[in-house]
Amino acid sequence: MFYLLKLGPVPLSQGNTQVQVYLRISDAGEPAAPVFESDDGAGLRALLEGVDAAEVRCEPALAAAGAELGLAVAEPSPQALSSCAAIATFVAWGQRGLSGLGSDKALLFVQASTEYWDARPWTHWDDSQPFEVAVTGPMNHTFEGCVFHMGDGRAGLALYFKPGALQMLMEMQARGQGDAATSLPAIAVTLDTSPSYAVDALTAAGRAPRLPLPLKTGPDGISVPSPLESLVLVASLRAVARLSPEQREVLSSVVAGDEQMQVRVRAPAPRVRH
């Protein structure tokens, strides 16, 4: 069985043109090459090439166009929805200049971000409370971390390279220099509320309804974390997700090349929320 799904609208890299991304994904979650079209009918016809229409189902959002082609409608399998969410994440990463990290990192971030989102650590700690994040293995460094959740719905985790960075950040903000925070050396992941096609696909697959966006800041501005730094973020997300007011120290491991990297997170005393 194959399912036909749609992502979009997706802006093209040049100009203001937007297209839809049409996907054919097997019941087991194996995708065919995506099709980029501006019309549902054209997108579905392209996806039907080389397959028996009797073995194809289109998602409910494509019911009208599918009916014109004699296609049955069905909810995609969980595996197909998961594959669609992964593709949507990687497409969105491409728009943000993150595709160089690879689709394997996108999957890791989706999984770790879902654990983090479900745990909601910001209900116990706020963004002024420093966490100790000690990394050993291919990288040996102790970061000063913090969890955050903003009024616009975004959330995430930041790991600062230097101790005292959070205090420095709060002082900058008090002086109205919040934008200068991007000069502080750090790696972070933001769980973003856009683009909507990625958030919708992640939500449909039962993942966190946010797009994970890894980033790196420093004196030269915002850039992309290295593959190793990305794994530090993944392991840290998973560790923080397992913290609680009763368990304030957690060890998380991740494979980095041929080595095992360990991330030990120690949380401060929680602040009671009213």
Side-chain angles (χ1 to χ4, degrees):
M1 185 67 66
F2 297 97
Y3 297 97
L4 307 186
L5 305 94
K6 177 174 72 171
L7 296 174
V10 177
L12 294 179
S13 57
Q14 301 295 329
N16 296 320
T17 305
Q18 294 185 325
V19 298
Q20 307 288 346
V21 181
Y22 296 90
L23 305 172
R24 187 180 75 223
I25 304 176
S26 73
D27 192 54
E30 292 294 327
V35 170
F36 298 85
E37 287 284 356
S38 56
D39 173 75
D40 287 351
L44 295 187
R45 283 191 292 272
L47 291 175
L48 287 173
E49 292 181 8
V51 297
D52 182 355
E55 295 296 317
V56 174
R57 301 290 183 270
C58 61
E59 66 172 336
L62 292 169
E68 295 181 5
L69 298 172
L71 298 176
V73 177
E75 291 288 348
S77 67
Q79 295 89 339
L81 290 173
S82 293
S83 182
C84 180
I87 293 169
T89 298
F90 198 61
V91 170
W93 272 24
Q95 292 179 262
R96 307 293 183 95
L98 294 168
S99 56
L101 288 176
S103 58
D104 58 331
K105 297 293 191 304
L107 284 172
L108 289 174
F109 270 104
V110 167
Q111 293 162 357
S113 296
T114 298
E115 295 174 27
Y116 183 85
W117 179 264
D118 289 345
R120 283 169 162 66
W122 54 85
T123 61
H124 303 299
W125 298 279
D126 63 36
D127 58 7
S128 68
Q129 295 183 273
F131 288 62
E132 180 184 297
V133 181
V135 181
T136 56
M139 175 189 290
N140 288 278
H141 189 78
T142 298
F143 293 87
E144 184 173 275
C146 73
V147 303
F148 60 88
H149 185 265
M150 295 180 280
D152 60 5
R154 291 181 297 162
L157 175 69
L159 304 179
Y160 293 92
F161 282 90
K162 297 180 180 179
L166 274 182
Q167 181 62 38
M168 190 180 303
L169 174 61
M170 287 187 289
E171 291 173 358
M172 287 179 174
Q173 291 173 337
R175 295 194 298 266
Q177 300 173 329
D179 291 343
T182 57
S183 66
L184 295 175
I187 53 176
V189 56
T190 297
L191 307 186
D192 211 336
T193 56
S194 64
S196 59
Y197 69 82
V199 173
D200 290 345
L202 288 162
T203 302
R207 305 299 191 263
R210 297 291 186 273
L211 175 69
L213 293 173
L215 59 91
K216 184 174 184 176
T217 61
D220 296 328
I222 299 176
S223 59
V224 180
S226 70
L228 188 58
E229 290 167 339
S230 296
L231 290 176
V232 170
L233 286 169
V234 166
S236 299
L237 285 169
R238 287 177 167 162
V240 173
R242 289 158 49 201
L243 292 171
S244 69
E246 296 74 34
Q247 182 172 349
R248 288 164 44 196
E249 182 173 333
V250 168
L251 179 66
S252 177
S253 299
V254 65
V255 175
D258 296 328
E259 299 185 65
Q260 190 87 357
M261 183 163 61
Q262 294 189 325
V263 176
R264 185 180 299 276
V265 178
R266 294 184 178 90
R271 288 183 176 161
V272 177
R273 299 303 181 101
H274 298 286

